[in-house]
Amino acid sequence: MSEEVVPQQAGPAQPKGLLQQMEELMAALNADLSNLHEEAGFSPLESQEQIRSSVAE
């Protein structure tokens, strides 16, 4: 018989606010987009310019 080990948290979990969750998701999305641009052969500067222009539209 096997037992699954569930990691215990160090203390009571603090729920994150919606704004903090959105900021973390946006940061992760921006990092992913930067990586995709780099893999596609764009320089980091071109990637930032392209992201800014798409946000401004």
Side-chain angles (χ1 to χ4, degrees):
M1 186 175 203
S2 67
E3 293 182 23
E4 286 189 39
V5 177
V6 178
Q8 300 259 337
Q9 294 182 350
Q14 295 277 335
K16 294 181 183 178
L18 182 58
L19 180 59
Q20 184 179 357
Q21 289 177 357
M22 292 299 291
E23 288 173 346
E24 290 174 2
L25 288 170
M26 289 301 296
L29 177 60
N30 284 334
D32 288 345
L33 288 173
S34 294
N35 288 339
L36 286 173
H37 277 257
E38 188 175 314
E39 288 174 9
F42 291 101
S43 72
L45 180 58
E46 288 174 322
S47 295
Q48 289 298 320
E49 289 172 357
Q50 192 143 19
I51 290 169
R52 282 192 208 111
S53 66
S54 66
V55 170
E57 292 177 353

